[in-house]
Amino acid sequence: IDFIRAKALFGIDIKGLKPSFENQQIVDWFQAVHPLLQMSLTKHDKKVVPLDIILTRDKRILLISGPNAGGKSVCLKTVGLLQYMLQCGMLVSMHERSHAGIFSHIFIDIGDEQSIEQSLSTFSSHMVNIVDILKKVSYNSLCLFDELGAGTDPVEGASLAVSILEKVRSMGAKTIATTHYSELKMYALTTDRVENASCEFN
């Protein structure tokens, strides 16, 4: 009872709601907001810029580009956190006309896990994580990749990133990835069911 009450009180604090649920793996969100960011900035009379995120059967992969500190990683973390909250039965901060689905797995590669102990560079540590993801990914998975292919030679990194995206696309998984690579932007322009998006400074 205490747990249910805590979820309800948190839902009130973030002005949360339950979007319409579909019997398919989709992210069709309008004005989605990271709840912790919302609570933090509200205290300082600042507004969070809401996100519109769409992943459907026809738009399986979303590639987000934009400047450093422009909000790409925050966008990924917002999607990951809100999807976990939804699947835990919590109310979320987004517009009432949003639609959501349930994923059997949520795979995330964000941050820097380099390890001196394991002799892993930043690039290698990401690759270890991504290889593990690719072994388990399926059509009802959600994958979130931050700066896919970064940390190595740009040409090789872009080629590797395209290969990874082709793998998850062939499996039918819904995917969001951030990038600075022009090659990935061109990949999105020329590939079916892949979309470009961008974050920018206000």
Side-chain angles (χ1 to χ4, degrees), residues 98-161:
S98 300
H99 297 262
I102 299 295
F103 294 88
S104 62
H105 296 90
I106 303 172
F107 297 111
I108 303 174
D109 182 64
I110 299 177
D112 189 353
E113 300 294 335
Q114 63 175 296
S115 168
I116 295 174
E117 184 179 320
Q118 297 180 33
S119 300
L120 290 177
S121 67
T122 298
F123 174 74
S124 300
S125 66
H126 281 290
M127 287 312 304
V128 167
N129 194 25
I130 290 170
V131 166
D132 188 50
I133 289 171
L134 294 180
K135 288 178 181 175
K136 300 173 182 175
V137 71
S138 66
Y139 73 94
N140 51 11
S141 301
L142 174 64
C143 300
L144 305 175
F145 297 114
D146 194 22
E147 296 294 350
L148 188 59
T152 188
D153 176 83
V155 175
E156 294 174 1
S159 299
L160 186 61

Coordinates of all heavy atoms in Angstrom, one line a residue, residues 98-161:
S98 N -0.6 10.9 -26.2 CA 0.5 10.0 -26.4 C 0.0 8.5 -26.4 O -0.9 8.2 -25.8 CB 1.6 10.2 -25.4 OG 2.1 11.5 -25.4
H99 N 0.8 7.7 -27.2 CA 0.5 6.2 -27.2 C 1.8 5.5 -26.8 O 2.9 5.9 -27.2 CB 0.0 5.8 -28.6 CG -1.3 6.4 -29.0 ND1 -2.5 5.7 -28.9 CD2 -1.6 7.6 -29.5 CE1 -3.5 6.5 -29.3 NE2 -2.9 7.7 -29.7
A100 N 1.6 4.4 -26.1 CA 2.8 3.6 -25.7 C 2.6 2.1 -25.9 O 1.5 1.7 -26.0 CB 3.1 3.9 -24.2
G101 N 3.7 1.4 -25.9 CA 3.6 -0.1 -25.9 C 4.6 -0.7 -24.9 O 5.3 0.0 -24.2
I102 N 4.6 -2.0 -24.8 CA 5.4 -2.7 -23.8 C 6.5 -3.5 -24.6 O 6.2 -4.2 -25.5 CB 4.6 -3.7 -22.9 CG1 3.6 -2.9 -22.1 CG2 5.5 -4.5 -22.0 CD1 4.1 -1.9 -21.1
F103 N 7.7 -3.3 -24.2 CA 8.9 -4.0 -24.8 C 9.3 -5.1 -23.9 O 9.4 -5.0 -22.6 CB 10.0 -3.0 -25.0 CG 9.7 -2.0 -26.0 CD1 9.1 -0.8 -25.7 CD2 10.0 -2.2 -27.4 CE1 8.8 0.2 -26.6 CE2 9.7 -1.2 -28.3 CZ 9.2 0.0 -27.9
S104 N 9.7 -6.3 -24.5 CA 10.2 -7.4 -23.7 C 11.6 -7.1 -23.1 O 11.9 -7.6 -22.1 CB 10.2 -8.7 -24.5 OG 11.1 -8.5 -25.6
H105 N 12.4 -6.3 -23.8 CA 13.7 -6.0 -23.4 C 14.0 -4.5 -23.7 O 13.6 -4.0 -24.8 CB 14.8 -6.8 -24.0 CG 14.7 -8.3 -23.7 ND1 14.0 -9.2 -24.4 CD2 15.3 -9.0 -22.7 CE1 14.1 -10.4 -23.9 NE2 14.9 -10.3 -22.8
I106 N 14.7 -3.8 -22.8 CA 15.2 -2.5 -23.1 C 16.7 -2.5 -23.0 O 17.2 -2.8 -21.9 CB 14.6 -1.5 -22.1 CG1 13.1 -1.5 -22.2 CG2 15.1 -0.1 -22.4 CD1 12.4 -0.7 -21.1
F107 N 17.4 -2.3 -24.1 CA 18.9 -2.4 -24.1 C 19.4 -0.9 -24.2 O 19.0 -0.2 -25.1 CB 19.4 -3.2 -25.3 CG 19.0 -4.6 -25.2 CD1 18.0 -5.2 -26.1 CD2 19.5 -5.5 -24.2 CE1 17.7 -6.5 -26.1 CE2 19.1 -6.8 -24.1 CZ 18.2 -7.3 -25.1
I108 N 20.4 -0.6 -23.3 CA 20.9 0.8 -23.3 C 22.4 0.7 -23.3 O 23.1 0.0 -22.5 CB 20.4 1.5 -22.1 CG1 18.9 1.5 -22.1 CG2 20.9 2.9 -22.0 CD1 18.3 2.1 -20.8
D109 N 23.0 1.6 -24.2 CA 24.5 1.8 -24.1 C 24.7 3.3 -24.1 O 24.7 4.0 -25.1 CB 25.2 1.2 -25.4 CG 26.7 1.4 -25.3 OD1 27.3 0.8 -24.4 OD2 27.2 2.1 -26.2
I110 N 24.9 3.8 -22.8 CA 25.1 5.2 -22.6 C 26.2 5.3 -21.6 O 26.3 4.6 -20.6 CB 23.8 5.9 -22.0 CG1 22.6 5.8 -23.0 CG2 24.0 7.3 -21.7 CD1 21.3 6.4 -22.5
G111 N 27.0 6.3 -21.8 CA 28.1 6.6 -20.8 C 29.4 6.0 -21.1 O 29.6 5.4 -22.2
D112 N 30.3 6.1 -20.2 CA 31.7 5.7 -20.4 C 32.1 4.6 -19.4 O 32.1 4.9 -18.2 CB 32.7 6.9 -20.3 CG 34.1 6.5 -20.7 OD1 34.3 5.4 -20.9 OD2 34.9 7.5 -20.7
E113 N 32.3 3.4 -19.8 CA 32.6 2.3 -18.9 C 34.0 1.8 -19.1 O 34.3 0.6 -18.9 CB 31.6 1.1 -19.1 CG 30.2 1.5 -18.9 CD 29.9 1.8 -17.5 OE1 30.6 1.3 -16.6 OE2 28.9 2.6 -17.2
Q114 N 34.9 2.7 -19.5 CA 36.3 2.3 -19.7 C 36.9 1.7 -18.4 O 36.6 2.2 -17.3 CB 37.2 3.4 -20.2 CG 37.4 4.6 -19.3 CD 38.4 5.6 -19.9 OE1 39.5 5.3 -20.0 NE2 37.9 6.8 -20.2
S115 N 37.8 0.7 -18.5 CA 38.3 0.0 -17.3 C 39.8 -0.3 -17.5 O 40.2 -1.0 -18.4 CB 37.5 -1.3 -17.1 OG 38.2 -2.1 -16.2
I116 N 40.6 0.3 -16.6 CA 42.0 0.0 -16.6 C 42.2 -1.5 -16.2 O 43.0 -2.2 -16.7 CB 42.8 0.9 -15.6 CG1 42.7 2.4 -16.1 CG2 44.2 0.5 -15.5 CD1 43.2 3.4 -15.1
E117 N 41.4 -1.9 -15.2 CA 41.6 -3.3 -14.7 C 41.3 -4.3 -15.8 O 42.0 -5.3 -15.9 CB 40.5 -3.5 -13.6 CG 40.6 -4.8 -12.9 CD 39.6 -5.0 -11.7 OE1 39.4 -4.0 -11.0 OE2 39.0 -6.0 -11.6
Q118 N 40.4 -4.1 -16.7 CA 40.0 -5.0 -17.7 C 40.7 -4.6 -19.1 O 40.4 -5.2 -20.1 CB 38.5 -5.1 -17.9 CG 37.8 -5.6 -16.7 CD 36.3 -5.7 -17.0 OE1 35.8 -6.0 -18.1 NE2 35.5 -5.5 -15.9
S119 N 41.6 -3.6 -19.1 CA 42.3 -3.1 -20.3 C 41.3 -2.8 -21.4 O 41.5 -3.1 -22.5 CB 43.2 -4.2 -20.8 OG 44.2 -4.5 -19.8
L120 N 40.2 -2.1 -21.0 CA 39.2 -1.7 -22.0 C 39.3 -0.2 -22.2 O 39.2 0.6 -21.2 CB 37.8 -2.0 -21.5 CG 37.4 -3.5 -21.4 CD1 36.0 -3.7 -20.9 CD2 37.5 -4.1 -22.8
S121 N 39.4 0.2 -23.4 CA 39.3 1.7 -23.7 C 37.8 2.0 -23.8 O 36.9 1.2 -23.7 CB 39.9 1.9 -25.1 OG 39.1 1.3 -26.1
T122 N 37.5 3.3 -23.9 CA 36.1 3.8 -24.1 C 35.4 3.1 -25.2 O 34.3 2.5 -25.1 CB 36.1 5.3 -24.3 OG1 36.7 5.9 -23.2 CG2 34.7 5.8 -24.5
F123 N 36.1 3.0 -26.4 CA 35.5 2.4 -27.5 C 35.3 0.9 -27.3 O 34.2 0.3 -27.6 CB 36.5 2.6 -28.7 CG 36.0 1.8 -30.0 CD1 35.0 2.2 -30.7 CD2 36.7 0.7 -30.4 CE1 34.6 1.5 -31.9 CE2 36.3 -0.1 -31.5 CZ 35.2 0.4 -32.2
S124 N 36.3 0.2 -26.7 CA 36.2 -1.2 -26.5 C 35.1 -1.6 -25.5 O 34.4 -2.6 -25.7 CB 37.5 -1.8 -26.0 OG 38.6 -1.6 -26.9
S125 N 35.0 -0.8 -24.5 CA 33.9 -1.0 -23.5 C 32.5 -0.9 -24.1 O 31.6 -1.7 -23.8 CB 34.1 -0.1 -22.3 OG 33.8 1.2 -22.6
H126 N 32.4 0.1 -25.0 CA 31.1 0.2 -25.7 C 30.8 -1.0 -26.6 O 29.7 -1.5 -26.6 CB 31.0 1.5 -26.5 CG 30.8 2.7 -25.7 ND1 29.5 3.0 -25.1 CD2 31.6 3.8 -25.4 CE1 29.6 4.1 -24.5 NE2 30.8 4.6 -24.6
M127 N 31.9 -1.5 -27.2 CA 31.7 -2.6 -28.2 C 31.4 -3.9 -27.4 O 30.6 -4.7 -27.9 CB 33.0 -2.8 -29.0 CG 33.2 -1.7 -30.1 SD 31.7 -1.4 -31.1 CE 31.3 -3.0 -31.7
V128 N 32.0 -4.1 -26.2 CA 31.6 -5.2 -25.4 C 30.1 -5.2 -25.1 O 29.4 -6.2 -25.2 CB 32.5 -5.3 -24.1 CG1 31.9 -6.3 -23.1 CG2 33.9 -5.6 -24.5
N129 N 29.7 -4.0 -24.7 CA 28.2 -3.9 -24.3 C 27.3 -4.1 -25.6 O 26.3 -4.8 -25.5 CB 28.0 -2.5 -23.7 CG 26.7 -2.4 -23.0 OD1 26.1 -3.4 -22.6 ND2 26.2 -1.2 -23.0
I130 N 27.7 -3.5 -26.7 CA 26.9 -3.6 -27.9 C 26.9 -5.0 -28.5 O 25.8 -5.5 -28.9 CB 27.4 -2.6 -29.0 CG1 27.1 -1.2 -28.5 CG2 26.8 -2.9 -30.3 CD1 27.8 -0.1 -29.3
V131 N 28.0 -5.7 -28.4 CA 28.0 -7.1 -28.9 C 27.1 -8.0 -28.0 O 26.3 -8.8 -28.5 CB 29.5 -7.7 -28.8 CG1 29.5 -9.2 -28.9 CG2 30.4 -7.1 -29.8
D132 N 27.1 -7.7 -26.7 CA 26.1 -8.4 -25.8 C 24.7 -8.1 -26.2 O 23.8 -9.0 -26.2 CB 26.4 -8.1 -24.4 CG 25.6 -8.9 -23.4 OD1 25.7 -10.1 -23.5 OD2 25.0 -8.3 -22.5
I133 N 24.4 -6.8 -26.5 CA 23.1 -6.4 -26.9 C 22.6 -7.1 -28.2 O 21.5 -7.7 -28.3 CB 23.0 -4.9 -27.1 CG1 23.1 -4.2 -25.7 CG2 21.7 -4.5 -27.8 CD1 23.2 -2.7 -25.8
L134 N 23.5 -7.2 -29.2 CA 23.2 -7.8 -30.5 C 22.9 -9.3 -30.4 O 22.2 -9.8 -31.2 CB 24.3 -7.5 -31.5 CG 24.6 -6.0 -31.9 CD1 25.7 -5.9 -32.9 CD2 23.3 -5.4 -32.4
K135 N 23.5 -9.9 -29.4 CA 23.2 -11.3 -29.2 C 21.8 -11.6 -28.7 O 21.2 -12.7 -28.8 CB 24.2 -11.9 -28.2 CG 25.6 -12.1 -28.7 CD 26.6 -12.6 -27.6 CE 28.0 -12.7 -28.1 NZ 28.9 -13.2 -27.0
K136 N 21.2 -10.6 -28.0 CA 19.9 -10.8 -27.3 C 18.8 -10.0 -28.0 O 17.6 -10.3 -27.6 CB 20.1 -10.3 -25.9 CG 21.1 -11.0 -25.1 CD 21.3 -10.4 -23.7 CE 22.4 -11.1 -22.9 NZ 22.7 -10.5 -21.6
V137 N 19.1 -9.1 -28.9 CA 18.0 -8.2 -29.4 C 17.0 -9.0 -30.2 O 17.3 -10.0 -30.9 CB 18.6 -7.1 -30.3 CG1 19.2 -7.6 -31.6 CG2 17.6 -6.0 -30.6
S138 N 15.7 -8.6 -30.2 CA 14.7 -9.2 -31.0 C 13.7 -8.1 -31.4 O 13.9 -6.9 -31.1 CB 13.9 -10.2 -30.1 OG 13.2 -9.6 -29.0
Y139 N 12.7 -8.5 -32.2 CA 11.7 -7.6 -32.8 C 11.0 -6.8 -31.7 O 10.5 -5.7 -32.0 CB 10.7 -8.3 -33.7 CG 9.7 -9.1 -33.0 CD1 8.5 -8.6 -32.7 CD2 10.0 -10.4 -32.6 CE1 7.5 -9.3 -32.0 CE2 9.0 -11.2 -31.9 CZ 7.8 -10.6 -31.6 OH 6.9 -11.4 -31.0
N140 N 10.8 -7.3 -30.5 CA 10.1 -6.6 -29.5 C 11.0 -5.9 -28.4 O 10.6 -5.8 -27.3 CB 9.0 -7.5 -28.8 CG 9.6 -8.8 -28.3 OD1 10.8 -8.9 -28.3 ND2 8.8 -9.7 -27.9
S141 N 12.2 -5.6 -28.9 CA 13.2 -4.9 -28.0 C 13.2 -3.4 -28.3 O 12.9 -3.0 -29.4 CB 14.6 -5.5 -28.2 OG 14.6 -6.8 -28.0
L142 N 13.6 -2.6 -27.3 CA 13.9 -1.2 -27.5 C 15.4 -1.0 -27.3 O 15.9 -1.4 -26.2 CB 13.1 -0.4 -26.5 CG 13.4 1.1 -26.5 CD1 13.1 1.8 -27.9 CD2 12.7 1.8 -25.4
C143 N 16.2 -0.4 -28.2 CA 17.6 -0.2 -28.1 C 17.9 1.3 -28.1 O 17.4 2.0 -28.9 CB 18.4 -0.9 -29.2 SG 18.1 -2.6 -29.4
L144 N 18.7 1.7 -27.1 CA 19.2 3.1 -27.0 C 20.7 3.1 -27.1 O 21.3 2.6 -26.2 CB 18.6 3.7 -25.7 CG 17.1 3.6 -25.5 CD1 16.8 4.2 -24.1 CD2 16.4 4.4 -26.6
F145 N 21.2 3.8 -28.1 CA 22.7 3.9 -28.3 C 23.1 5.3 -28.3 O 22.7 6.1 -29.1 CB 23.1 3.3 -29.6 CG 22.8 1.8 -29.7 CD1 21.9 1.4 -30.7 CD2 23.5 0.9 -29.0 CE1 21.6 0.0 -30.8 CE2 23.2 -0.5 -29.1 CZ 22.3 -0.9 -30.0
D146 N 24.0 5.7 -27.4 CA 24.6 7.0 -27.3 C 25.9 7.1 -28.0 O 26.8 6.4 -27.7 CB 24.7 7.5 -25.8 CG 24.9 9.0 -25.7 OD1 24.5 9.7 -26.6 OD2 25.5 9.4 -24.6
E147 N 26.0 8.1 -29.0 CA 27.2 8.3 -29.8 C 27.7 6.9 -30.4 O 28.9 6.5 -30.1 CB 28.3 8.9 -28.9 CG 28.0 10.3 -28.5 CD 27.9 11.3 -29.6 OE1 28.2 11.0 -30.7 OE2 27.4 12.4 -29.3
L148 N 26.9 6.3 -31.1 CA 27.2 5.0 -31.7 C 28.4 5.1 -32.6 O 28.5 5.9 -33.5 CB 26.0 4.5 -32.5 CG 26.0 3.1 -33.0 CD1 26.2 2.1 -31.9 CD2 24.7 2.7 -33.8
G149 N 29.4 4.2 -32.4 CA 30.6 4.2 -33.2 C 31.7 5.2 -32.9 O 32.7 5.3 -33.5
A150 N 31.4 6.0 -31.8 CA 32.4 7.0 -31.5 C 33.6 6.4 -30.7 O 33.5 5.3 -30.3 CB 31.7 8.1 -30.6
G151 N 34.7 7.2 -30.6 CA 35.8 6.7 -29.9 C 36.9 6.0 -30.7 O 37.9 5.5 -30.1
T152 N 36.7 6.0 -32.0 CA 37.7 5.4 -32.9 C 37.8 6.2 -34.2 O 37.2 7.3 -34.3 CB 37.3 3.9 -33.2 OG1 38.4 3.3 -33.9 CG2 36.1 3.8 -34.0
D153 N 38.5 5.8 -35.2 CA 38.6 6.4 -36.4 C 37.2 6.7 -37.0 O 36.4 5.8 -37.1 CB 39.4 5.6 -37.4 CG 39.5 6.2 -38.8 OD1 40.3 7.1 -39.0 OD2 38.6 5.8 -39.6
P154 N 37.0 8.0 -37.4 CA 35.6 8.4 -37.8 C 35.1 7.6 -38.9 O 33.9 7.2 -38.9 CB 35.8 9.9 -38.2 CG 36.9 10.3 -37.4 CD 37.9 9.2 -37.3
V155 N 35.9 7.2 -39.9 CA 35.4 6.5 -41.1 C 35.0 5.1 -40.6 O 34.0 4.5 -41.0 CB 36.4 6.4 -42.2 CG1 36.0 5.5 -43.3 CG2 36.7 7.8 -42.7
E156 N 35.9 4.4 -39.9 CA 35.7 3.1 -39.4 C 34.5 3.1 -38.4 O 33.7 2.2 -38.4 CB 36.9 2.5 -38.7 CG 38.1 2.3 -39.6 CD 39.4 1.9 -38.9 OE1 39.3 1.8 -37.6 OE2 40.4 1.7 -39.6
G157 N 34.4 4.1 -37.5 CA 33.4 4.2 -36.6 C 32.0 4.3 -37.2 O 31.0 3.7 -36.8
A158 N 31.9 5.2 -38.3 CA 30.7 5.3 -39.0 C 30.2 4.1 -39.7 O 29.0 3.7 -39.7 CB 30.8 6.5 -40.0
S159 N 31.2 3.4 -40.3 CA 30.9 2.1 -41.0 C 30.4 1.0 -40.0 O 29.4 0.3 -40.2 CB 32.1 1.5 -41.7 OG 32.5 2.4 -42.7
L160 N 31.0 1.0 -38.8 CA 30.6 0.1 -37.8 C 29.2 0.4 -37.3 O 28.4 -0.5 -37.1 CB 31.6 0.1 -36.6 CG 31.5 -0.9 -35.5 CD1 31.6 -2.3 -36.0 CD2 32.5 -0.6 -34.4
A161 N 29.0 1.7 -37.1 CA 27.7 2.1 -36.6 C 26.5 1.7 -37.6 O 25.5 1.3 -37.1 CB 27.7 3.6 -36.4

